[in-house]
Amino acid sequence: MPEEIISIEHVYFRYPGQDPYVLNDISLSVQKGEWLAIVGHNGSGKSTLAKMLNGLHYPEKGNVTVDQLPLSEETVWEIRKRIGMVFQNPDNQFVGTTVQDDVAFGLENSGVPQEIMAERVKDALERVNMLSFLDQEPHHLSGGQKQRVAVAGIIAIIPKVIILDEATSMLDPKGRQEVLETIRELKDKLGLTVISITHDLEEASRADRMIVLNKGEVFKKGKPIEIFQLEDELVELGLDIPFTIKMTKKLTQLGFNFPNTYITEEELVDALW
Ligand code: ADP
């Protein structure tokens, strides 16, 4: 029986002094261990929703519940312990002078004893395949490596949910692959719940389920394979269908069999070879 970790029910939100709702009757539910992608064009309300899950905004109407805690000023600190966020710009996320200091920083603030801390830092870096970079200065790393260290900083705190807020949008294709593969492994091996907030349908195609937002409303919910059938509607909403997704769709129609909606360019070449 799937267990619900986040529930958003009929949520309305608008910024102070502004009339139109930026989140307009949003309802969604996230199950423990699933990867949910929230997609939408710029201005559709994705970041506002992410901030609400981190307790930076409260709904004007409706309810948000995280791990059975209803979001309120009393529960917000407990909720923040359960949700780790990785943001867009890898360079803005470093506070330590070495990779291990950086990963340790969040733990220092959470009161974990020193001896447990060193183990947790190593374990987290190993999980994102960055253990050999322990003593390196973060600014020497590539974009993908930086984001993997940022993910390690979150994993070390042992959150229940990790939110990627456009976390791959500044990375080159190689860095993006690295981060998304890492997230997939963390989900599969640790049972981590993942929410990726993105305008990139390629990233979203890795998720178990997608929610498409448009102008603050839920436009569609479904598995990536179902959502990508709506190609023309997605284009109308200003979302670009990546080449690999178009090719996967066409090749599936021609009888090719792929395990996922998403295939990488390399897999595409292999399939055609
Ligand atoms: P997205 O992340 O999908 O690009 P946002 O949540 O950032 O969308 O924005 C949704 C809407 O809210 C947009 O119309 C945007 O202009 C507006 N908005 C975002 N932040 C603020 C703010 N701090 N004050 C007023 N309006 C805002």
Side-chain angles (χ1 to χ4, degrees):
M1 179 85 182
E3 202 181 318
E4 189 178 57
I5 183 106
I6 292 178
S7 146
I8 295 179
E9 288 175 318
H10 301 294
V11 158
Y12 291 79
F13 174 82
R14 57 189 155 184
Y15 285 95
Q18 302 211 348
D19 197 31
Y21 284 106
V22 164
L23 300 178
N24 193 356
D25 197 12
I26 300 282
S27 292
L28 62 93
S29 153
V30 186
Q31 308 304 311
K32 217 172 189 173
E34 82 165 329
W35 182 341
L36 175 76
I38 301 177
V39 304
H41 190 46
N42 282 343
S44 59
K46 303 183 297 297
S47 294
T48 306
L49 190 58
K51 285 183 185 147
M52 191 170 274
L53 289 173
N54 205 23
L56 295 172
H57 298 314
Y58 293 90
E60 185 177 316
K61 287 190 266 177
N63 299 306
V64 175
T65 309
V66 176
D67 201 20
Q68 302 184 352
L69 295 169
L71 173 66
S72 72
E73 281 170 21
E74 286 80 49
T75 58
V76 69
W77 290 103
E78 279 304 314
I79 287 179
R80 283 186 190 151
K81 281 188 207 162
R82 288 160 169 76
I83 296 189
M85 302 209 45
V86 182
F87 297 99
Q88 183 172 40
N89 189 341
D91 292 319
N92 290 347
Q93 299 186 60
F94 287 106
V95 282
T97 49
T98 64
V99 164
Q100 64 179 325
D101 283 354
D102 196 78
V103 175
F105 181 78
L107 284 177
E108 276 161 15
N109 286 341
S110 68
V112 171
Q114 200 73 33
E115 60 282 6
I116 295 178
M117 199 151 84
E119 275 311 302
R120 284 247 208 120
V121 168
K122 280 194 183 148
D123 184 56
L125 284 169
E126 197 167 10
R127 294 224 177 253
V128 302
N129 270 326
M130 288 296 289
L131 190 56
S132 54
F133 294 83
L134 208 70
D135 295 318
Q136 294 232 4
E137 290 174 33
H139 64 266
H140 287 152
L141 305 177
S142 70
Q145 290 169 335
K146 284 177 185 166
Q147 284 301 57
R148 276 152 60 205
V149 172
V151 170
I154 302 291
I155 295 304
I157 301 166
I158 317 187
K160 299 206 170 181
V161 180
I162 185 164
I163 299 183
L164 309 172
D165 188 359
E166 298 284 359
T168 67
S169 60
M170 287 179 76
L171 304 180
D172 60 18
K174 183 169 170 282
R176 187 173 301 137
Q177 295 301 334
E178 274 172 37
V179 173
L180 295 176
E181 290 305 320
T182 301
I183 294 293
R184 168 57 62 181
E185 272 183 43
L186 292 171
K187 179 193 129 65
D188 291 346
K189 292 189 183 152
L190 297 180
L192 191 67
T193 307
V194 182
I195 300 179
S196 54
I197 293 184
T198 180
H199 64 277
D200 176 16
L201 294 188
E202 193 178 301
E203 176 174 326
S205 66
R206 313 291 186 96
D208 301 315
R209 221 154 47 86
M210 285 171 70
I211 286 183
V212 184
L213 291 186
N214 183 43
K215 296 184 183 144
E217 295 181 8
V218 175
F219 174 74
K220 276 281 178 318
K221 298 179 184 176
K223 292 190 175 143
I225 202 149
E226 295 158 358
I227 300 286
F228 292 131
Q229 300 305 319
L230 314 167
E231 191 169 331
D232 294 343
E233 288 170 75
L234 296 175
V235 171
E236 252 173 60
L237 297 187
L239 292 165
D240 292 327
I241 312 283
F243 169 74
T244 44
I245 290 173
K246 284 188 192 164
M247 284 300 285
T248 312
K249 246 180 90 178
K250 276 271 179 290
L251 289 169
T252 306
Q253 283 164 7
L254 291 172
F256 281 81
N257 224 336
F258 297 108
N260 307 309
T261 339
Y262 175 82
I263 51 171
T264 61
E265 273 177 44
E266 293 86 63
E267 285 167 332
L268 197 57
V269 172
D270 282 349
L272 293 171
W273 202 246

